[in-house]
Amino acid sequence: MKKSFFILKCSLMLLLGMIQAGYVFGGAIDNSGVGTTALSMGGAFSGIADDVSAIYYNPAGLGFIENDTGNAQIYGVIILTEFNYSTDSYKDTSDEVVVNPGFFISKKYKKWALGYGFYIPYAGGGARFNNFQGTGYNIDGFEAYVAHTPTAAYQLSKSLSIGAGLSVYYGLLESKVFRYAEIESDYDGIAGYG
């Protein structure tokens, strides 16, 4: 009886965890999360980062990957966004599907590890409104910041490693407003360093 109750309790906790998983990330125009292991942990990965996504979370974690191995991880985050913009008179909603791709690659050489990441840590979403707030304007927008991050780590001992990375962010911003004529603005270039 106790074993059956324990199994039922664990199953319910697992089911509730799966239901709540949709609320872990805010979605587009936010941080989409990076890496498959960290995504499944709700982003709580920095302290134990020991796979190739350590490039994003904690570059020193690359030092704990097995010697003389190459590692790669490719992932995609699918974000179903819903933007609501309401006033007393109007309610506008935009439902967009956004896929944020990314990949990491690393190679360990004895005590040294080198890595590179290409991912979208911020934004990566868009919105589209037809007849926005009854003005007759159709608005279409998209925003993403793509990171290119080379990293290096050195394993000092079995339990201590140091690491560093340099992120160069490339920004993409597009917006279009339509009414009688199309008004377009976009930015495509270096957006920052980290």
Side-chain angles (χ1 to χ4, degrees):
M1 181 70 166
K2 286 184 179 181
K3 186 176 180 181
S4 297
F5 181 71
F6 177 75
I7 292 171
L8 178 63
K9 184 178 175 182
C10 288
S11 298
L12 281 172
M13 289 173 65
L14 180 62
L15 180 63
L16 288 174
M18 293 167 119
I19 291 170
Q20 291 298 321
Y23 298 101
V24 174
F25 301 105
I29 317 301
D30 197 358
N31 188 326
S32 60
V34 170
T36 54
T37 304
L39 284 169
S40 65
M41 294 176 67
F45 190 61
S46 295
I48 61 166
D50 61 356
D51 71 10
V52 72
S53 67
I55 292 166
Y56 173 78
Y57 286 97
N58 181 356
L62 293 177
F64 298 112
I65 294 175
E66 292 182 31
N67 276 336
D68 302 320
T69 60
N71 295 280
Q73 186 178 105
I74 298 172
Y75 70 95
V77 180
I78 298 173
I79 302 172
L80 306 174
T81 63
E82 183 177 310
F83 292 101
N84 292 306
Y85 189 90
S86 300
T87 64
D88 292 338
S89 305
Y90 297 97
K91 180 175 181 179
D92 291 315
T93 301
S94 174
D95 296 318
E96 300 291 321
V97 176
V98 179
V99 178
N100 286 350
F103 74 87
F104 301 103
I105 188 165
S106 71
K107 176 79 171 146
K108 178 91 184 268
Y109 304 93
K110 307 263 185 242
K111 292 186 177 229
W112 284 96
L114 301 175
Y116 171 76
F118 171 85
Y119 51 93
I120 300 177
Y122 307 107
R128 178 174 292 132
F129 298 100
N130 292 319
N131 191 21
F132 184 71
Q133 299 294 296
T135 61
Y137 289 100
N138 297 329
I139 299 174
D140 191 358
F142 171 81
E143 178 181 14
Y145 297 96
V146 178
H148 296 274
T149 306
T151 58
Y154 183 77
Q155 188 175 11
L156 297 169
S157 69
K158 285 193 177 267
S159 60
L160 183 61
S161 179
I162 59 173
L166 171 65
S167 292
V168 177
Y169 299 103
Y170 191 82
L172 301 167
L173 174 64
E174 296 178 9
S175 67
K176 295 179 185 177
V177 178
F178 307 92
R179 184 150 188 201
Y180 304 113
E182 180 177 295
I183 302 169
E184 250 185 80
S185 63
D186 63 61
Y187 176 80
D188 188 352
I190 299 295
Y193 306 91

